[in-house]
Amino acid sequence: MVALVQRVAEAAVDVDGTTVGAIDDGLLVFLGVHEDDTEAESDWCASKCANLRVFPDADGRMDESLLDTGGDALVVPQFTLYGDVSRGHRPSFDAAASPDRAERLYDHFVDLLEDHLGKDVPTGRFGAMMDVRLTNDGPVTLWVERRADD
């Protein structure tokens, strides 16, 4: 499982011109599910995202997490994170989980993140064409990945 995590001042996701999820200060998480992923990878990634110390403390150092700041998270499904462009010019998505499996693990990730944060986590819509708007803060962008064989 991979989470492309961006610290944002604001972010929103629209489907068919309607905003389906939005946050102010917090983390925008693009989540990709690998074909070999299980709930164990989902558990690890949700905990890691909730506890990432990427927000400034009183001294300006990145030393606080969403749990410390009370910030929000917005999670957007992103199967293209497992696009392989090593051959040719068209990405192959063979490593991405099937839609049914991916949606189940995506939902599991969101549920766990809500448990960690103690509040609802807005999301994009699985399988939909989405427009994502964000103001990256910093910018701070991290690649958080846990593979089933780790």
Side-chain angles (χ1 to χ4, degrees):
M1 183 167 285
V2 64
L4 179 65
V5 180
Q6 296 185 308
R7 187 177 77 188
V8 296
E10 61 184 358
V13 60
D14 297 344
V15 175
D16 295 328
T18 301
T19 300
V20 296
I23 63 169
D24 288 321
D25 294 321
L27 296 178
L28 172 60
V29 179
F30 292 101
L31 191 73
V33 181
H34 189 272
E35 64 180 343
D36 295 331
D37 284 342
T38 67
E39 287 184 357
E41 286 73 41
S42 188
D43 296 351
W44 183 90
C45 281
S47 176
K48 185 65 77 169
C49 288
N51 289 284
L52 278 176
R53 294 179 3 204
V54 296
F55 296 94
D57 63 12
D59 296 325
R61 287 187 17 199
M62 287 199 306
D63 198 32
E64 294 195 346
S65 70
L66 285 176
L67 298 172
D68 300 315
T69 66
D72 294 314
L74 170 62
V75 182
V76 176
Q78 184 81 44
F79 79 94
T80 61
L81 290 172
Y82 279 112
D84 180 1
V85 294
S86 61
R87 292 185 288 183
H89 297 285
R90 175 182 287 193
S92 166
F93 300 106
D94 291 343
S98 67
D100 289 344
R101 180 181 182 82
E103 186 171 15
R104 182 178 59 79
L105 290 172
Y106 169 82
D107 289 341
H108 182 72
F109 172 90
V110 172
D111 290 344
L112 289 171
L113 191 55
E114 288 178 336
D115 288 347
H116 283 291
L117 299 178
K119 59 180 158 182
D120 289 340
V121 171
T123 65
R125 187 168 301 147
F126 196 91
M129 289 295 295
M130 296 172 278
D131 295 320
V132 180
R133 300 182 314 276
L134 67 125
T135 301
N136 198 314
D137 181 25
V140 174
T141 303
L142 299 167
W143 185 266
V144 176
E145 185 172 21
R146 173 75 174 225
R147 296 296 299 273
D149 55 355
D150 287 351

